[in-house]
Amino acid sequence: TSPSIHCPPKKRDPKERRIHVMKMLRFRSPSNRSLDQEVLCTIRLLDDSEISCSIQRDTKGQFLLDHVCNHYNLLEKDYFGIRYVDPEKQRHWLEPNKPVARQMKLAQQPYTMCFRVKFYPSEPMKIKEELTRYLLYLQLKRDIYHGRLLCPFAEAAYLGACIVQAELGDYDPEEHPSDYIRDFKLFPKQSLKLERKIIEIHKNELRGQCSALAELNMLQRAHSLETYGVDPHPCKDFTGSTAFLGFTAKGFVVFQGNKRIHLLKWTDVSKLKFEGKTFYVIGIQKEKKLVLTFHTLTPAACKHLWKCGVENQAFYKCAKSSQIKTVCSSNIFFKGSRFRYSGRVAKEVIEASSKIQREAPEVCRYAQFGQSRSFNSLSHKNLIMNMEPLLPALPSTTESADGPADSLYGLPLPISSSSSSHLSSSHLEKKINPWLTVKVLQR
């Protein structure tokens, strides 16, 4: 046998070695150019004005939320979030602890998003600052106009009068003609009867109220309505009837037409889960196990519904954020989606609000007709807000609808045949019913 010969490895030239290492690094990690590339983001605010900023590819969602809150000089920021719509017209809440670019990887640049109320305060009187109440007022104005806040006739008239008082101040016969309410687009379709009632309340009941007080009265009346804070998710129940699911401070709600058919309090909800396009709510009612099953149009809509439920349950139910656990969409922990709400809970937010010591910012209000107006605040403090007047923006192409699309509106309005048996004709005459669509886009 021939003896074995050991050949020492050939030494690589140092220059050649450096080139090899650089090639491997270029292959394994993104280039510095892609990391440093900036992306323009446009965020639409609650008054339809817009602000823009540039972010890096690895910038997380919390940066954008902080950017908007700094723009407003807003401290009570936990009630708010940033929402976007993907190319498939599916809505999402921007997650604060994930990179923006990763969440919007399919969206066209510049990224377009909306600053909205995400968690509606259960008791508006516990909001410490007038600025926060004003932003909630703007959100409720949108909810009323886009038909998400269902109102009996008397409530609709009072809420409309509060908005007019906040916008115009006291009624003045020399300045306000007989049909001045027509210039206000308060409801999807407002009848002459409703406009006359709004004028009557504005003239006789709200005189002397400053804008802040009129807004506060509006919040107090609105928060008692069944659909306060409900962002309706369209689906089908087990019978195939159209239903709208929502989450409020009280719990999980189900509407058919304009009638609430289920309210399951958060203390009675034990688990939320989804599989594909099927969403399950498991809880206890009258000491018996309850399983509610619903079907969404797409798996993406079902996942969004599930995540909204998980976040709302954590926010309103938990006493401390340390109690929040990661939840799984399936019974088998290593299968399905995993998600955890990462913010503070309602009790912590209220406690933090009570400890705010700064002088309240002066709130710059922008009238419906585009004129900038500054009103006296409840606290009469004079700390100027860190913001500049912004002109109303044109509708974004990515968010052509700010409310239910293809809906029927009016006062009164017909209800779908699947749920018409629940309500009498006299009851229908007193309801504003906007939820007659399955396609709900951006609020």
Side-chain angles (χ1 to χ4, degrees):
T1 60
S2 58
S4 60
I5 301 175
H6 176 70
C7 297
K10 182 180 178 182
K11 290 186 177 181
R12 180 174 288 172
D13 182 71
K15 184 177 180 180
E16 183 182 352
R17 187 176 181 182
R18 285 196 302 270
I19 294 174
H20 176 73
V21 171
M22 289 177 66
K23 285 182 178 179
M24 292 298 294
L25 288 174
R26 194 178 299 123
F27 176 75
R28 292 182 180 179
S29 61
S31 66
N32 291 333
R33 180 179 298 179
S34 66
L35 285 174
D36 296 336
Q37 184 180 355
E38 292 188 343
V39 179
L40 180 64
C41 296
T42 299
I43 304 171
R44 178 166 297 171
L45 306 179
L46 285 160
D47 61 356
D48 281 331
S49 61
E50 294 180 352
I51 60 174
S52 298
C53 67
S54 296
I55 62 172
Q56 304 293 328
R57 288 285 180 179
D58 58 349
T59 300
K60 295 184 178 180
Q62 187 64 48
F63 173 85
L64 290 181
L65 183 58
D66 291 340
H67 178 73
V68 178
C69 293
N70 291 337
H71 169 83
Y72 277 120
N73 196 14
L74 175 66
L75 292 184
E76 297 172 293
K77 62 179 72 174
D78 301 84
Y79 298 113
F80 302 89
I82 293 179
R83 169 169 266 171
Y84 66 95
V85 180
D86 69 20
E88 301 299 323
K89 303 301 182 184
Q90 175 58 51
R91 296 179 300 172
H92 303 272
W93 286 107
L94 195 68
E95 295 186 40
N97 54 354
K98 291 184 179 180
V100 176
R102 200 173 88 188
Q103 297 181 66
M104 303 189 69
K105 55 187 176 183
L106 299 178
Q108 293 183 349
Q109 298 183 26
Y111 296 155
T112 303
M113 308 168 220
C114 293
F115 176 75
R116 296 291 182 260
V117 174
K118 186 175 183 180
F119 303 111
Y120 288 69
S122 59
E123 298 179 74
M125 285 296 293
K126 290 187 177 181
I127 298 175
K128 180 69 176 288
E129 297 199 314
E130 180 189 327
L131 170 61
T132 315
R133 291 193 294 270
Y134 174 63
L135 295 176
L136 176 59
Y137 159 80
L138 290 180
Q139 178 68 69
L140 289 174
K141 264 182 66 177
R142 303 182 71 88
D143 292 347
I144 291 171
Y145 177 73
H146 292 292
R148 288 180 295 270
L149 189 62
L150 304 184
C151 312
F153 178 84
E155 301 296 328
Y158 183 83
L159 295 177
C162 287
I163 294 173
V164 175
Q165 180 71 23
E167 294 275 350
L168 295 183
D170 290 343
Y171 172 78
D172 186 341
E174 295 183 0
E175 293 185 7
H176 303 142
S178 59
D179 60 348
Y180 70 103
I181 295 298
R182 291 186 182 180
D183 292 331
F184 280 82
K185 304 301 181 183
L186 303 173
F187 295 88
K189 287 184 179 179
Q190 54 196 46
S191 67
L192 183 59
K193 179 181 178 182
L194 179 60
E195 290 180 354
R196 288 173 178 169
K197 187 64 177 177
I198 291 173
I199 292 174
E200 178 187 334
I201 297 174
H202 180 220
K203 282 182 178 180
N204 303 321
E205 298 182 27
L206 305 181
R207 177 170 294 277
Q209 293 187 10
C210 66
S211 296
L213 183 55
E215 291 161 4
L216 181 59
N217 287 331
M218 187 262 219
L219 299 186
Q220 283 293 93
R221 187 66 66 93
H223 100 281
S224 64
L225 299 174
E226 285 186 346
T227 51
Y228 169 76
V230 175
D231 181 19
H233 297 257
C235 64
K236 300 283 186 181
D237 64 13
F238 71 98
T239 67
S241 300
T242 298
F244 293 92
L245 313 185
F247 309 100
T248 70
K250 294 180 180 179
F252 168 73
V253 292
V254 182
F255 285 83
Q256 281 191 336
N258 55 9
K259 182 178 180 180
R260 190 179 71 187
I261 62 172
H262 279 296
L263 168 59
L264 197 60
K265 295 182 180 180
W266 287 126
T267 52
D268 296 329
V269 176
S270 57
K271 186 173 179 62
L272 303 172
K273 68 175 187 175
F274 80 97
E275 295 177 5
K277 296 187 288 186
T278 305
F279 178 69
Y280 302 93
V281 180
I282 303 169
I284 298 174
Q285 198 168 58
K286 296 180 180 179
E287 300 182 354
K288 293 183 180 180
K289 183 177 180 180
L290 176 70
V291 179
L292 299 174
T293 304
F294 303 93
H295 304 282
T296 61
L297 192 62
T298 65
C302 199
K303 184 175 183 178
H304 173 64
L305 172 63
W306 172 71
K307 291 174 73 173
C308 288
V310 169
E311 290 191 307
N312 276 269
Q313 184 177 25
F315 183 80
Y316 293 114
K317 182 179 179 179
C318 293
K320 298 180 181 179
S321 55
S322 58
Q323 297 175 349
I324 301 173
K325 298 179 181 179
T326 300
V327 296
C328 184
S329 63
S330 173
N331 288 331
I332 305 175
F333 189 73
F334 57 84
K335 293 184 66 176
S337 299
R338 297 177 65 189
F339 182 67
R340 183 183 184 274
Y341 170 61
S342 58
R344 292 193 292 188
V345 300
K347 292 183 178 179
E348 292 174 330
V349 174
I350 294 172
E351 183 180 355
S353 296
S354 66
K355 297 178 181 178
I356 295 176
Q357 297 295 328
R358 70 171 180 174
E359 290 189 69
E362 181 183 356
V363 181
C364 294
R365 294 168 169 85
Y366 297 93
Q368 187 169 348
F369 305 107
Q371 300 171 347
S372 176
R373 306 174 65 200
S374 181
F375 301 95
N376 293 329
S377 67
L378 287 175
S379 57
H380 303 288
K381 300 296 183 180
N382 293 314
L383 183 61
I384 304 300
M385 211 168 40
N386 181 26
M387 62 183 295
E388 298 178 356
L390 293 167
L391 295 176
L394 295 174
S396 167
T397 56
T398 60
E399 294 172 341
S400 57
D402 200 341
D406 305 324
S407 297
L408 302 175
Y409 298 98
L411 184 65
L413 283 172
I415 196 168
S416 59
S417 58
S418 63
S419 54
S420 59
S421 60
H422 295 294
L423 299 173
S424 64
S425 59
S426 62
H427 188 68
L428 284 174
E429 290 177 356
K430 298 181 180 179
K431 285 286 184 179
I432 301 173
N433 176 22
W435 292 355
L436 301 181
T437 176
V438 174
K439 186 181 179 184
V440 181
L441 296 179
Q442 183 75 9
R443 74 175 184 190

